Amino acid sequence: EVQLLESGGGLVQPGGSLRLSCAASGFTFSDYAMSWVRQAPGKGLDWVSVINNSGGSTYYADSVKGRFTISRDTSKNMLYLQMNGLRAEDTALYYCSRGRTSSSYSTVDYWGQGTLVTVSS
Amino acid sequence: DIVMTQSPDSLAVSLGERATINCKSSQSVLYNSDNRHYLGWYQQKPGQPPKLLIYWASNRESGVPDRFSGSGSGTDFTLTISSLQAEDVAVYYCQQYYKSPFTFGPGTKVDIK
């Protein structure tokens, strides 16, 4: 059974940093692209970033480019999102998700339950 | 960036009736090399993460009931629920994965009339 378990969310002041983690299990992690998608309270889905299966290709939403960094550790079956320079508008539930294929150009077929990030003073 | 729009914003349909949701992309999401439309549909119920329904615009994900179908080409796409069931009450999103950033539509809320 595919499982994605996010952690690392919390309350942070504007300008601060957080590192989100996602523990993946139930599938061969190195075979799939992975993504982060966020959802502000009461709002729609907002795509954040994707990394292909090898980690050699990454893409970011314009709103986070230069501030967020996606990475993966295949030896640990872990996906990460390093978030720096956080802003109030980054407040959201952050979902870890698996791509249907190894390519970054893929839909998402499994989602975690999300970890909440709140940026406030 | 490719802008995704959806219509209507919300709709209410009687049980057993057809629900149709439209999605439009600001540019074509057809990749000529493989002749596939890089367009997916998701269902999100309250308090739950999204669920993939359709990929490549018209391919139903495994386990998704066959009352859900996707169609369309170029820039215009449709998700159809052929016979609405109570468990289909949700918000539905389209997403393009043709070009980064892989944008979502704003969502369409489906309720029972």
Side-chain angles (χ1 to χ4, degrees):
Chain A
E1 178 192 6
V2 172
Q3 290 193 335
L4 301 170
L5 183 61
E6 303 95 337
S7 60
L11 176 63
V12 61
Q13 292 188 340
S17 298
L18 275 178
R19 188 198 198 200
L20 304 185
S21 300
C22 172
S25 61
F27 64 100
T28 304
F29 187 67
S30 59
D31 284 349
Y32 295 89
M34 299 293 294
S35 298
W36 290 97
V37 176
R38 66 187 180 183
Q39 188 167 35
K43 302 297 184 182
L45 301 174
D46 184 26
W47 180 80
V48 174
S49 182
V50 65
I51 186 168
N52 72 343
N53 67 317
S54 69
S57 173
T58 60
Y59 297 100
Y60 298 91
D62 295 341
S63 59
V64 308
K65 200 173 295 182
R67 300 188 298 125
F68 290 10
T69 302
I70 191 171
S71 63
R72 63 192 295 162
D73 185 336
T74 298
S75 68
K76 296 180 180 178
N77 286 0
M78 294 291 294
L79 176 72
Y80 303 102
L81 186 67
Q82 178 66 45
M83 305 187 295
N84 299 328
L86 283 161
R87 307 167 180 167
E89 55 265 36
D90 296 318
T91 294
L93 186 65
Y94 283 72
Y95 291 107
C96 166
S97 52
R98 188 187 84 163
R100 278 194 74 256
T101 72
S102 60
S103 168
S104 298
Y105 297 83
S106 174
T107 47
V108 167
D109 60 358
Y110 285 94
W111 302 69
Q113 292 299 311
T115 186
L116 182 62
V117 172
T118 303
V119 184
S120 176
S121 55
Chain B
D1 298 0
I2 297 177
V3 176
M4 306 299 291
T5 56
Q6 289 183 230
S7 63
D9 295 335
S10 64
L11 75 161
V13 175
S14 300
L15 289 173
E17 296 301 305
R18 179 184 299 261
T20 301
I21 301 168
N22 301 300
C23 172
K24 187 176 182 68
S25 56
S26 60
Q27 67 181 77
S28 174
V29 296
L30 172 65
Y31 188 42
N32 291 325
S33 296
D34 60 14
N35 200 36
R36 286 173 167 171
H37 290 91
Y38 283 51
L39 189 285
W41 287 96
Y42 300 88
Q43 174 194 66
Q44 187 178 31
K45 298 180 180 180
Q48 297 184 18
K51 173 186 175 181
L52 177 64
L53 298 175
I54 302 287
Y55 58 96
W56 303 133
S58 60
N59 290 66
R60 194 180 304 114
E61 175 70 345
S62 175
V64 173
D66 61 7
R67 63 180 180 273
F68 291 92
S69 64
S71 62
S73 64
T75 62
D76 293 281
F77 302 91
T78 299
L79 175 70
T80 301
I81 310 172
S82 61
S83 175
L84 191 75
Q85 304 300 304
E87 60 265 32
D88 301 335
V89 170
V91 179
Y92 293 83
Y93 297 91
C94 60
Q95 183 203 18
Q96 65 82 18
Y97 47 103
Y98 173 82
K99 180 180 178 183
S100 176
F102 301 127
T103 42
F104 287 93
T108 294
K109 186 175 182 181
V110 174
D111 274 321
I112 304 297
K113 184 186 292 183

